[in-house]
Amino acid sequence: MQKSFLSPLDAAEERYYIEQLSKGDLEARDILIERNMRLVAYIAKKYLGSEESMEDLISIGTIGLIKAVSTYQSDKAVRLSSYASKCVENELRMYFRKKKSNKEISLYEPIGTDREGNPFTMADIVESPESELWERVLLKRNVGQLYTLIPRVLSRRERYIICRRYGLYNTRPLTQREIARTLGISRSYVSRIEKKALQKLRRAMASGDGTRVPVSAKSKNPGRTSPGASEN
């Protein structure tokens, strides 16, 4: 159910809080953001035909609103609400442009954190700590190894989640929320399974497991079939 937002500020109230913000009043900044959330929700509705939920769209739009409040200048000829509309719209459009251009998962995009809280990427799973001269060759070799390891070390559900999260085997990358909806489980549970699966792959890569498996195993596509409800 959509959250109920506070009513917008009138022109006089808006001027007052903008002036307070210019003096460093952070509470005034929060008020300006809160009282413009209806605007964010209104603009976000235009994108409801996309795969993102209304909650996600509002979260993305709110980033634009925060940028608007932070960069607005009181001497502008337009009200903050008008300026914020453009910023919110731009943030949403930028998100969808980026999503469209990133259909193929980037090996260097952060996908989680290790036990020490340090971020790691898919490249951390497949790359070897060799010299830069051989880095590309090794990466290609290890990507092939990764594909052979997936059906060997992961359960059916783990394979499905990893393949669909990162667009492996020419599938379309999905968000954790989309996978959760497909499997009928919570997003947090998808996140836990994903982290466990990535840890399995990292251990297997480190131990060299799967190096003797024919690369032809890569042609199999374990990410196409939805996993059974009983598998973890």
Side-chain angles (χ1 to χ4, degrees):
M1 192 170 88
Q2 188 176 331
K3 181 179 177 181
S4 177
F5 298 111
L6 297 174
S7 58
L9 298 169
D10 59 35
E13 290 173 326
E14 184 178 285
R15 284 194 301 271
Y16 171 77
Y17 287 112
I18 289 173
E19 182 180 353
Q20 293 302 110
L21 176 59
S22 68
K23 297 176 181 178
D25 188 343
L26 296 182
E27 185 177 351
R29 174 179 175 273
D30 293 341
I31 291 173
L32 288 167
I33 292 171
E34 291 172 2
R35 299 293 286 272
N36 279 284
M37 285 303 297
R38 279 192 185 181
L39 175 65
V40 175
Y42 174 77
I43 296 173
K45 284 182 180 179
K46 299 178 184 179
Y47 297 86
L48 269 179
S50 65
E51 297 169 351
E52 279 68 20
S53 67
M54 186 63 176
E55 179 183 351
D56 289 337
L57 292 171
I58 290 176
S59 296
I60 297 164
T62 300
I63 296 173
L65 174 60
I66 293 172
K67 290 180 179 179
V69 172
S70 300
T71 59
Y72 180 78
Q73 298 176 3
S74 57
D75 59 350
K76 287 183 177 292
V78 296
R79 285 189 57 181
L80 170 63
S81 55
S82 300
Y83 176 69
S85 295
K86 294 181 180 180
C87 292
V88 171
E89 191 84 48
N90 288 341
E91 194 69 30
L92 285 161
R93 288 177 178 173
M94 183 171 63
Y95 169 81
F96 284 106
R97 281 197 300 269
K98 182 178 179 181
K99 183 178 179 181
K100 183 178 180 180
S101 65
N102 287 341
K103 285 297 184 181
E104 294 298 325
I105 184 66
S106 168
L107 287 173
Y108 297 95
E109 179 183 353
I111 56 176
T113 56
D114 58 23
R115 291 182 179 180
E116 287 74 37
N118 301 312
F120 63 85
T121 67
M122 184 64 82
D124 292 325
I125 300 174
V126 300
E127 286 185 323
S128 298
E130 303 290 342
S131 64
E132 292 184 6
L133 179 63
W134 294 101
E135 182 175 315
R136 292 187 180 182
V137 176
L138 289 170
L139 181 58
K140 288 182 179 179
R141 185 194 70 185
N142 288 336
V143 167
Q145 184 184 354
L146 176 66
Y147 273 98
T148 67
L149 285 172
I150 286 175
R152 283 171 58 88
V153 304
L154 302 184
S155 70
R156 189 179 178 190
R157 173 172 284 185
E158 289 169 340
R159 292 197 303 269
Y160 179 82
I161 290 176
I162 291 299
C163 291
R164 297 318 303 265
R165 275 288 286 135
Y166 302 109
L168 304 181
Y169 300 96
N170 296 317
T171 59
R172 181 177 63 82
L174 300 178
T175 64
Q176 289 181 345
R177 190 181 301 278
E178 289 171 327
I179 294 174
R181 189 161 49 240
T182 299
L183 299 182
I185 58 180
S186 68
R187 188 201 61 76
S188 60
Y189 190 34
V190 170
S191 178
R192 290 198 298 271
I193 295 175
E194 179 184 335
K195 289 179 181 178
K196 180 181 177 181
L198 291 174
Q199 288 171 355
K200 284 185 178 180
L201 289 172
R202 295 183 75 183
R203 286 196 297 267
M205 292 293 292
S207 66
D209 186 17
T211 55
R212 293 181 296 277
V213 180
V215 178
S216 60
K218 181 178 175 181
S219 62
K220 297 181 181 180
N221 186 342
R224 288 287 188 186
T225 306
S226 295
S230 61
E231 294 200 33
N232 295 314

